[in-house]
Amino acid sequence: MLELRRQGRQIGFVPTMGFLHEGHLSLVRIARREADVVVLSIFVNPLQFGPNEDLAKYPCDLKRDSELCARNGVDIIFNPSVDDMYPVLAKASSSYFNVFIDEKDLSRQLCGASRPGHFSGVLTVVAKLFNLVLPDMAVFGQKDAQQAILIQRMIHDLDFPVRMIVAPIVRENDGLAVSSRNVCLSPDERRAALCLSAALRLARNIYRSNERDCGVIKSAMSKLVKKVKLARIDYIEIVGTHNLRPIKRIGDDDVLIALAVHIGNTRLIDNLPLPRDRLANLPE
Ligand code: AMP
């Protein structure tokens, strides 16, 4: 990497947990456009999974991922092992890994409230990946809006010399946000999963009818999701983008309408940023 940088080549970076899909590939296309060399990492980061989460079940197909990378202009796949990244997690008795990045405010909101430690795991691995890959620019998805906001914060606060681009959410034709976890859904659950984008669409329609009261919008969304048998709400929130705190009324500032819903055993997230709703790519 240092050699590539010495040659003055711009390195674009797309961090992923693999099992690649159109969402990841849209990030690769942006990196391709913006940089000379595209590095994609595949690392299922154990630090960002809680004890009762789906780490063991996380889908993986390196052969298919390599083919997709080759066809979509990825120059380098970086696929470290857990042992490479965190020796302590692999060798229980030793303590080779002991430094974590912990953001103390934004990381406690939204997904952070139900997934304690998750964003510390994300920020720690992204910091390590930045130091290993030495990218000039990195692309992250709006799909994980809170993650993107936190990484932007880390880049700013810790002076990482990395330019970050946030890419719009890629969806299936029926509105479901593409996710590696969608393969875990049964046909019934797949149908139920449409309630996330449907709730956001409803929120957008209510907003367009000039309603600005967040209570009204959230309760309509929650009513819609509660009608779906296989769905269990983790949260439905309307927050200010700058602090991720719930707001009462939508005004002139940027806001994020975000939700997390368990569909059977699979936890799905989706969001709609306002007024920058093009990032949500939500069909009418
Ligand atoms: P993951 O492999 O799920 O950790 O995702 C790796 C990157 O791809 C993250 O920056 C995600 O936000 C992004 N991503 C995942 N799904 C989508 C999607 N449907 N649209 C756009 N970006 C996505």
Side-chain angles (χ1 to χ4, degrees), residues 15-18 21 23-24 27 58 140-141 143-144 147 168-170 178:
T16 81
M17 297 205 295
H21 52 61
H24 298 119
L27 272 46
Y58 201 84
F140 293 87
K143 163 79 177 7
D144 298 275
Q147 169 177 290
I169 301 177
V170 174
V178 176

Side-chain angles (χ1 to χ4, degrees), residues 29-66:
R29 283 190 276 276
I30 293 174
R32 196 59 284 161
R33 195 181 68 210
E34 299 280 328
D36 304 314
V37 179
V38 175
V39 181
L40 178 140
S41 64
I42 298 178
F43 180 63
V44 182
N45 174 32
L47 273 194
Q48 70 189 69
F49 287 78
N52 300 318
E53 293 183 354
D54 53 356
L55 173 61
K57 278 193 317 187
Y58 201 84
C60 167
D61 188 341
L62 262 184
K63 186 164 174 286
R64 180 175 154 278
D65 285 353
S66 308

